[in-house]
Amino acid sequence: GYKVQGRGEEAARRMIDDPRSRASLDEFLSQWLRFDLLLGAVKDRRLYPQFTPELAAAMAEETRLLTHDLVFNNRDFMEFFTADYGYINSDLAGVYKFAAPPSEFAKVQFPAGIDRAGILGQGSFLALTSKPGDTSPTIRGVFVREHFLCQGIPDPPPGTNSTLPEVTASKPRANRDRLEEHRSSPACMACHSLIDPVGYGFEKFDAIGQRRDKLKLTFLPLPGRENKSPKPTTAEVELDTRGTVQGIAGSDFSSPKELGKILAASPRCQDCVVKQYFRYAAGRRENSDDEQAINRAIQAFRGSGFRFRELMISIAGSLSV
């Protein structure tokens, strides 16, 4: 296979073969995918009673096991975005509506025809990028842009009203409709046109990663008011999950599985994986002096058929010189 050249290569290869490299990979993964926020996430217990610290930990473990498989079995790492299999336990099987695995965190081939695949279809990503009681196309779009494409999204201008139009029993609305109205502001349009259309493609997956065909809204009676219908009322709203990644040609999609294929084939995403690992290994963001080292690592990663070990070795060798 493709071999990285450089003075630090031999030492770097010994380091990768050390069992401690697994702990290092876990630390990188935790930082890149913000497992700290996932493990500390709080969900509305009325809506998601099954979301517990144990379920959040299982979500992180699923992502960790997929990554270890790709890295240490020397497979194409871009399957991180496209894998139609996963490592799930019984709790995750319940969330995903899959049959129970033969053993906890067994490797399971996903059923044919589903639109869940790779990291974008995992509970770790879907729960992390949601609010306590609802999904957020904006948060999901920002995460994809920043973590998988290495594109910075500026903070909203000072004084920006980020409150979305209210959803009521008389006017039930999906997030897409509410955000489209919100984006009518010129101050919001520039950034939201980059991020919201990415997030729309995930809307058939709720705030803990459960698949849904329609958005089910529950409206509780207002306390302290005389109400002819004191019981909760519900409404179902159609979901439009057509999305696109502005800046990537031919990037229309409508599911995590479709977006995963787009990202896996995108040089921008491939390069971002390299930059994310460089940031972890160097303990800082890249600067102009790092361009040569990063380009070498990109060549090693791409030239090896996206073997993550070659990326790790190249960056370790560069930093040890």
Side-chain angles (χ1 to χ4, degrees):
Y2 187 93
K3 298 296 183 183
V4 178
Q5 301 301 321
R7 285 188 295 169
E9 179 190 346
E10 186 177 346
R13 289 190 181 278
R14 287 198 302 270
M15 180 195 73
I16 298 300
D17 290 333
D18 190 301
R20 287 173 292 182
S21 65
R22 291 179 179 266
S24 176
L25 181 67
D26 287 345
E27 187 178 345
F28 159 67
L29 198 64
S30 180
Q31 289 185 21
W32 180 28
L33 302 182
R34 295 308 306 269
F35 283 171
D36 58 324
L37 298 181
L38 170 66
L39 298 176
V42 175
K43 301 295 179 182
D44 187 329
R45 293 199 61 80
R46 296 171 301 174
L47 300 174
Y48 308 109
Q50 68 274 58
F51 189 83
T52 61
E54 291 76 19
L55 179 61
M59 290 174 172
E61 181 69 0
E62 176 190 17
T63 303
R64 190 184 76 85
L65 290 173
L66 172 63
T67 306
H68 277 236
D69 175 33
L70 297 175
V71 174
F72 295 108
N73 290 326
N74 216 27
R75 300 172 63 178
D76 179 350
F77 186 76
M78 300 315 288
E79 277 190 33
F80 186 69
F81 298 96
T82 63
D84 59 357
Y85 57 90
Y87 296 82
I88 64 172
N89 69 350
S90 52
D91 289 342
L92 287 169
V95 172
Y96 297 167
K97 298 179 175 64
F98 291 171
S103 60
E104 294 294 87
F105 295 108
K107 184 175 182 178
V108 172
Q109 186 70 34
F110 291 170
I114 70 162
D115 45 16
R116 187 191 299 275
I119 181 62
L120 301 178
Q122 291 186 352
S124 60
F125 167 78
L126 295 165
L128 170 66
T129 55
S130 294
K131 299 175 182 178
D134 196 6
T135 60
S136 173
T138 298
I139 295 174
R140 287 172 171 176
V142 168
F143 196 96
V144 169
R145 288 281 183 187
E146 293 187 341
H147 293 256
F148 300 140
L149 294 171
C150 290
Q151 297 171 338
I153 302 296
D155 293 331
T160 300
N161 180 11
S162 60
T163 304
L164 296 180
E166 186 179 3
V167 176
T168 63
S170 61
K171 193 175 183 181
R173 309 171 68 181
N175 283 326
R176 185 180 194 122
D177 295 333
R178 299 166 72 203
L179 282 164
E180 290 293 344
E181 183 175 318
H182 185 62
R183 285 171 54 201
S184 61
S185 164
C188 302
M189 178 61 74
C191 286
H192 279 273
S193 63
L194 288 175
I195 54 184
D196 293 347
V198 177
Y200 293 151
F202 297 101
E203 278 294 88
K204 286 196 174 177
F205 293 85
D206 71 13
I208 65 169
Q210 297 177 114
R211 178 70 162 74
R212 61 189 183 184
D213 285 316
K214 294 182 179 180
L215 173 61
K216 295 182 179 180
L217 297 169
T218 300
F219 300 96
L220 302 174
L222 294 174
R225 294 189 183 182
E226 188 175 338
N227 197 317
K228 294 180 180 179
S229 178
K231 295 182 179 180
T233 59
T234 61
E236 289 191 347
V237 180
E238 296 289 339
L239 290 167
D240 180 354
T241 62
R242 292 173 298 167
T244 190
V245 187
Q246 184 176 316
I248 298 180
S251 61
D252 293 347
F253 71 99
S254 61
S255 70
K257 187 174 185 177
E258 291 177 358
L259 179 57
K261 291 179 180 177
I262 291 166
L263 293 183
S266 166
R268 186 172 296 170
C269 178
Q270 296 159 4
D271 293 357
C272 183
V273 171
V274 175
K275 290 177 182 177
Q276 294 289 6
Y277 188 76
F278 177 88
R279 293 170 185 175
Y280 162 73
R284 57 175 174 78
R285 295 182 73 88
E286 66 278 7
N287 58 46
S288 56
D289 293 336
D290 303 314
E291 185 175 348
Q292 189 175 9
I294 290 175
N295 285 340
R296 276 200 305 267
I298 288 171
Q299 291 172 11
F301 189 45
R302 188 166 286 129
S304 64
F306 306 107
R307 267 56 185 178
F308 199 87
R309 286 166 56 95
E310 298 303 319
L311 155 59
M312 295 169 75
I313 290 163
S314 177
I315 289 177
S318 296
L319 294 175
S320 67
V321 172

